[in-house]
Every structure is written in structure tokens, then in C-alpha cells.
Amino acid sequence: VHNLIKSAPLLEVLALPSVLPFDGIHNATKEARKGGQSLIRRLTIHGLPGFEGTSWTDIACMGTTFPELESLSLNTIGMPTWGLGLDDHIVNFPILSAMPRLRTLHIMSCISYSGHHFSSDRLNKMIKCLLAACPVLEDLKIVHGQQSISSFDRKNGMKVESFPEPGDAFLDLPRTLRCLRLQDMILLPEHFNEMPFLTSVTLINCGEQAEAAKQAVQVKTIGKREDQVEGGRLVGD
């Protein structure tokens, strides 16, 4: 992959089948550009779902590594470093370098295949961390993911953990946002502020109050669309 990048100085779209060290990608890009900045506008990292995750160290430097980035899709995001002296529900998320051109951000899973669900506080901090770096987002998709438990663990009484709530993380969404897609988290009407700028909302597996959340969004978006809720799923256009 590094040799391919080195041979393509005008590369604008890059899709990787698995997670690779970003320092190698960054160095290959600089070599291809003879020291200049990367021209990559669209970056997709597939990886093995729930097993490979892009580290927070790499996510933190996305803006400087790819200054022209307009679309970013990550299969699974890695876990940040635990803060010393903090309990298991508080994490020191790094400050991300700004991604001033990013229009599309898709996070397909926040947890590993057998990992624990986020606490609500942790989910709140993570979302705020991402949004702070992306002031002109138009399309945002965040899937928390669902814990996988083996039949053996189930027989021994282990149960799937409750989904977290985002708290106030979505109360100050960028006014440029048009499409919001959320999955595997508990959403309530009070999690949303006025959002007349949204034209499409999709909530999947977001708890028993998805209908109430949907009604709140419908009112605040002044009937811009027709949405449906099926089995706890709010599906927008």
C-alpha cells in the first residue's frame, strides 16, 4: 500500500482494507508529493469489524495528515488511553486536529467485537470530541455497536449491557448538517435541540422512546420530511 501511495502523487480517494499505521501513510504521501501536503479528499478504512480499530492517536492527527479531507469513514474506532486515577467510565479523549473541510463522517462501530458498551459519559465526551474538530459536517453517522456474548457466557448469566445515552452531545450540531444517522444508543427527546437545518434523520435500535424523539425532531424541523418508526427504529428519507 505504501508503494502504491508513493507512486500516486495526485491521489484523492483512498480506501484501505485494514488498519495501517498512519505514520507510514503520512510518510508515503509526503514522499509522493515531494514534501507537499496530501491531496486525499476521501478516506475509507474498512478493517475487520469489531477486531481492528483506528487508534485515537491516528484520529487525532487526521486533520494535519489529510488537510484536504472531505469524507472519512471508519469501520471501528480504537480505544483511547485511560486517564490515571479516573474510574472506568471516564476517558481522556485527545484534542483532535481540525478538519475544516470534512463534510462526511461515518463511524461504523465504537466498540470491539466483545468489548463493553460505553458509559453515557464516555459516549458524550467522544461525540463532543469529534464534533469539535468538524465545523462544517453535512452527513454524520455514528454507530455505537452492540456487545457480543457467547452462548457459554449467556448460560453463565452474562447479559448484554444497556446502551449509553449521548447526553447533551447533539444539542449543538453544526448548522451545515443535513443528514444525521445514529444507531445502538438510547435517545430521548431532550437529547435534541432545534434542528431546522436537518433534512434526513435515521435512528436505529435507539430505545423505546425513539418515537418520542422522532416527534420532537419532526416538530423542530417544521415538517421537512415524513419519518416512520418501526420496532423502535426511526427511519428517515
Side-chain angles (χ1 to χ4, degrees):
V1 174
H2 292 162
N3 289 334
L4 176 62
I5 295 174
K6 291 177 184 178
S7 67
L10 300 180
L11 187 67
E12 294 186 6
V13 179
L14 178 61
L16 300 174
S18 61
V19 178
L20 297 175
F22 265 51
D23 55 350
I25 296 175
H26 181 58
N27 292 335
T29 301
K30 289 194 69 174
E31 185 174 336
R33 298 286 300 157
K34 300 186 184 303
Q37 293 183 333
S38 167
L39 297 180
I40 291 175
R41 296 183 298 106
R42 295 174 56 190
L43 176 63
T44 301
I45 301 178
H46 296 287
L48 189 60
F51 289 92
E52 290 184 296
T54 303
S55 72
W56 277 101
T57 300
D58 288 339
I59 295 173
C61 66
M62 286 278 187
T64 53
T65 304
F66 306 108
E68 301 295 324
L69 199 62
E70 297 176 2
S71 175
L72 176 62
S73 179
L74 303 176
N75 187 293
T76 308
I77 56 176
M79 297 298 101
T81 303
W82 296 104
L84 296 177
L86 300 177
D87 65 35
D88 288 344
H89 298 293
I90 306 243
V91 174
N92 284 331
F93 286 93
I95 296 176
L96 307 188
S97 58
M99 293 179 273
R101 298 177 181 271
L102 196 70
R103 304 287 182 177
T104 300
L105 175 61
H106 291 174
I107 305 294
M108 306 309 295
S109 180
C110 299
I111 64 172
S112 64
Y113 180 71
S114 59
H116 292 287
H117 286 179
F118 277 20
S119 67
S120 293
D121 181 71
R122 188 175 176 184
L123 180 65
N124 175 274
K125 285 181 168 59
M126 185 206 71
I127 294 171
K128 287 182 175 179
C129 177
L130 292 169
L131 291 177
C134 311
V136 295
L137 276 181
E138 296 178 358
D139 183 351
L140 175 63
K141 180 177 183 177
I142 299 178
V143 180
H144 170 266
Q146 187 165 336
Q147 182 185 29
S148 177
I149 295 179
S150 68
S151 57
F152 175 81
D153 289 333
R154 290 182 186 277
K155 290 179 180 178
N156 283 278
M158 185 178 291
K159 297 181 180 179
V160 175
E161 298 167 356
S162 299
F163 285 132
E165 298 180 17
D168 61 355
F170 295 121
L171 293 182
D172 192 25
L173 290 168
R175 306 291 293 183
T176 53
L177 195 67
R178 296 296 177 265
C179 179
L180 177 64
R181 289 175 279 182
L182 305 172
Q183 182 173 335
D184 300 338
M185 60 185 75
I186 300 299
L187 294 174
L188 308 173
E190 54 264 35
H191 292 152
F192 300 101
N193 213 332
E194 293 184 2
M195 296 186 292
F197 45 87
L198 281 177
T199 59
S200 176
V201 176
T202 302
L203 306 181
I204 299 176
N205 201 21
C206 290
E208 296 179 354
Q209 293 201 48
E211 169 67 26
K214 167 237 177 180
Q215 293 297 333
V217 173
Q218 279 188 323
V219 170
K220 293 169 185 174
T221 54
I222 319 178
K224 278 193 174 183
R225 64 189 188 286
E226 293 295 330
D227 291 332
Q228 295 181 343
V229 174
E230 300 177 359
R233 297 157 58 100
L234 165 59
V235 182
D237 294 334

